[in-house]
C-alpha cells in the first residue's frame, strides 16, 4: 500500500537513514544504550541495525514463521524474541545461536500448534522476562529457566506490562485486567470489566491505569480508590496509548488524531482533551519520550510527527514521511530521535529534533 500526505503538519525532516529489511518489521526495540536497533521480521528473521547509520550488523533466522515481539534486558546486552512458532529465545548481540530457546506455553496448552508468543516484556531490573502466549503468562530468567507460570488468563492476552514498582505484572484482555506479583502464584489484584481491553499502560506515578477498549473508548481506573471513568467518542478502537514521564498526560490512538488527556490535579473528569491534528489517515502508534512533553505519532498515511506539547499542540515540531503505512515507532533511550518501521519493509532512523 502506497500513501502520500495531503498537507504538511510541521517543518519537514528527512530520514537520517532508511534500511530495507525484506518483510515488514512487526516490532522494533532499541538497545539500552541506543547503539543497536533490533527489528522483528514477519518472515521470522531478527536483524540488528546500527543505531547511527542503519547498517545491518547481524541477522539470523530466529523463529519459524514470523517474529512478533522483541525486548532488551536493561542490565545486559540480552535480547528476547517471541514468535509464531510459540517459542521464546534469548540472544546475545554477537551470536547467531540463542542462549536459550524454550516453548513459552505449557505442553498441555494446545493439542495443535503452540500459541504464538505475542508479548515479551523485561522487568525494570532486567532480571526476569515476561511472556504471553495465547492465554498463558510466564516469567523467565535470562538463561531460559522458568521462574513462574501463572494460571491461564480468561482469554487471549491482548497486552502485557510491568507496573512502575517493577515487582508486579499485569495482563489485559476480555474481562479486564489481572495483576500478579512476580513471586506469588495467585493474582494480587483484579480490575474487572465486562468487555475487552486491547492495550493498557500504568501511569509512572502508579496512580492511574489506562486501558484502550474494543468499544472505541478508553477506560481509566484510579488505583487507590478503585474508582473508574470512561472517555468515549473515538472513531476507531483504541490500540495504543502512552503516558508522559511525569504521569500528567496520556495520549491515545483511535482515529486520525492523537488525543491527549490531562491527568494533573484530580484527573481528566470534566476536562476536554487536546487533539493533535496533522495525520490524514488513522494513527497506528504513539509514544511519549521519557522526559518532558515530547511525543511522537505515526499513522497509516506514512507520516511521523514529533510534537513538543510545551510549545504547541497546533503544529508538530517536525514531520517526516515514508510512502508506506507506519507500523510501529520507538524513541532512542537517551536522545530525542525516533525509529520507525513501515509496511514496505523499511526501518527508518530519524534525526534528532531540536
Amino acid at each position: 500500500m502506497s500513501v502520500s500526505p495531503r498537507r504538511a503538519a510541521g517543518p519537514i525532516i528527512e530520514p537520517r537513514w532508511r534500511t530495507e529489511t525484506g518483510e515488514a518489521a512487526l516490532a522494533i526495540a532499541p538497545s539500552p544504550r541506543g547503539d543497536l536497533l533490533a527489528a522483528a521480521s514477519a518472515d521470522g528473521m531478527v536483524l540488528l541495525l546500527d543505531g547511527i547509520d542503519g547498517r545491518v550488523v547481524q541477522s539470523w533466522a530466529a523463529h519459524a514463521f514470523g517474529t512478533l515481539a522483541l525486548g532488551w534486558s536493561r542490565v545486559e546486552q540480552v535480547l528476547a524474541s517471541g514468535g509464531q512458532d510459540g517459542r521464546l529465545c534469548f540472544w546475545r548481540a554477537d551470536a547467531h545461536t540463542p542462549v536459550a530457546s524454550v516453548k513459552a506455553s505449557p505442553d498441555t496448552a494446545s493439542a495443535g500448534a503452540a500459541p504464538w508468543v505475542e508479548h515479551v516484556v523485561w522487568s525494570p531490573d532486567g532480571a526476569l522476562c515476561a511472556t504471553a502466549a495465547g492465554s498463558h503468562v510466564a516469567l523467565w530468567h535470562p538463561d531460559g529457566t522458568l521462574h513462574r507460570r501463572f494460571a491461564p488468563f480468561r482469554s487471549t492476552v491482548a497486552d502485557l506490562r510491568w507496573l512502575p514498582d517493577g515487582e508486579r505484572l499485569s495482563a489485559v484482555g476480555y474481562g479486564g485486567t489481572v495483576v500478579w506479583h512476580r513471586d506469588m502464584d495467585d493474582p494480587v489484584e483484579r480490575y474487572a470489566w465486562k468487555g475487552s481491553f486491547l492495550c493498557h499502560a500504568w501511569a509512572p506515578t502508579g496512580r492511574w491505569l489506562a486501558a484502550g477498549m474494543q468499544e472505541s473508548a478508553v477506560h481509566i481506573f484510579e488505583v487507590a480508590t478503585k474508582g473508574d471513568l470512561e472517555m468515549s467518542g473515538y472513531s476507531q478502537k483504541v490500540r495504543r496509548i502512552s503516558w508522559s514521564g511525569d504521569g500528567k498526560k496520556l495520549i491515545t490512538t483511535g482515529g486520525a488524531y492523537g488525543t491527549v488527556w490531562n491527568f494533573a490535579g484530580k484527573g481528566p473528569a470534566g476536562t476536554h482533551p487536546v487533539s493533535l491534528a496533522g495525520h490524514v489517515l488513522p494513527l497506528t502508534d504513539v509514544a511519549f519520550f521519557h522526559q518532558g512533553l515530547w511525543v511522537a505519532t505515526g499513522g497509516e498515511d506514512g507520516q511521523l510527527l514529533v510534537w513538543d506539547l510545551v510549545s504547541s499542540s497546533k503544529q508538530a515540531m517536525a514531520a517526516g514521511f515514508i510512502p508506506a503505512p507506519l507500523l510501529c515507532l520507538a524513541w532512542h533511550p537517551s536522545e530525542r530521535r525516533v525509529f520507525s518501521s513501515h509496511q514496505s519493509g523499511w526501518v527508518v532512523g530519524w534525526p534528532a529534533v531540536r
Side-chain angles (χ1 to χ4, degrees):
M1 178 181 178
S2 295
V3 295
S4 57
R6 290 179 290 180
R7 65 185 178 204
I12 301 298
I13 57 172
E14 297 295 332
R16 185 172 184 174
W17 53 261
R18 183 171 68 181
T19 300
E20 172 62 62
T21 59
E23 296 292 329
L26 303 178
I28 54 175
S31 64
R33 296 194 301 265
D35 56 327
L36 295 172
L37 179 72
S41 176
D43 62 4
M45 297 291 291
V46 166
L47 300 95
L48 295 185
L49 310 181
D50 186 287
I52 298 297
D53 59 22
R55 62 186 171 86
V56 178
V57 178
Q58 297 275 1
S59 65
W60 59 83
H63 297 274
F65 313 112
T67 303
L68 303 176
L70 292 171
W72 291 89
S73 168
R74 294 185 181 180
V75 177
E76 302 180 52
Q77 286 280 73
V78 175
L79 176 70
S81 66
Q84 286 179 281
D85 55 5
R87 302 195 71 80
L88 167 70
C89 297
F90 294 97
W91 314 85
R92 291 203 175 272
D94 57 354
H96 291 84
T97 56
V99 175
S101 176
V102 296
K103 183 181 177 183
S105 57
D107 291 335
T108 57
S110 174
W116 296 358
V117 182
E118 297 188 77
H119 305 282
V120 171
V121 190
W122 285 91
S123 60
D125 63 7
L128 292 173
C129 182
T131 59
S135 61
H136 301 278
V137 176
L139 299 177
W140 308 85
H141 296 283
D143 62 0
T145 57
L146 180 66
H147 176 76
R148 191 171 306 278
R149 192 184 299 281
F150 301 111
F153 195 74
R154 65 180 297 174
S155 70
T156 295
V157 173
D159 194 22
L160 192 66
R161 300 271 183 161
W162 286 92
L163 275 71
D165 61 15
E167 296 294 317
R168 293 172 294 165
L169 175 77
S170 61
V172 298
Y174 179 78
T177 308
V178 173
V179 180
W180 298 276
H181 190 279
R182 59 197 284 174
D183 294 324
M184 299 179 186
D185 290 329
D186 296 326
V188 294
E189 219 161 2
R190 296 180 187 270
Y191 295 83
W193 184 253
K194 294 181 180 179
S196 291
F197 291 159
L198 303 178
C199 63
H200 72 307
W202 298 86
T205 58
R207 181 181 176 185
W208 307 96
L209 165 61
M213 300 176 64
Q214 178 84 14
E215 294 80 9
S216 301
V218 175
H219 205 82
I220 303 295
F221 295 93
E222 188 169 16
V223 173
T225 65
K226 288 293 182 74
D228 66 309
L229 63 148
E230 189 169 296
M231 288 95 88
S232 57
Y234 290 89
S235 61
Q236 293 187 333
K237 300 171 185 178
V238 178
R239 297 185 180 276
R240 301 287 178 91
I241 57 181
S242 178
W243 288 95
S244 60
D246 61 5
K248 295 181 180 180
K249 302 286 184 183
L250 176 76
I251 187 171
T252 71
T253 63
Y257 299 91
T259 303
V260 181
W261 296 92
N262 186 1
F263 281 78
K266 296 181 179 180
T271 67
H272 295 286
V274 171
S275 292
L276 304 182
H279 291 274
V280 296
L281 291 175
L283 271 64
T284 51
D285 205 357
V286 292
F288 269 103
F289 189 53
H290 65 91
Q291 292 179 339
L293 291 179
W294 291 81
V295 63
T297 62
E300 293 179 9
D301 55 9
Q303 287 197 102
L304 169 76
L305 304 182
V306 179
W307 310 76
D308 178 6
L309 299 186
V310 173
S311 299
S312 174
S313 60
K314 302 297 184 183
Q315 187 181 52
M317 295 292 291
F321 172 68
I322 295 294
L326 184 146
L327 298 179
C328 51
L329 57 84
W331 285 94
H332 186 281
S334 59
E335 301 174 12
R336 283 202 300 263
R337 55 190 177 96
V338 180
F339 305 104
S340 62
S341 71
H342 296 259
Q343 191 171 298
S344 59
W346 290 325
V347 175
V348 182
W350 298 93
V353 179
R354 306 297 181 188

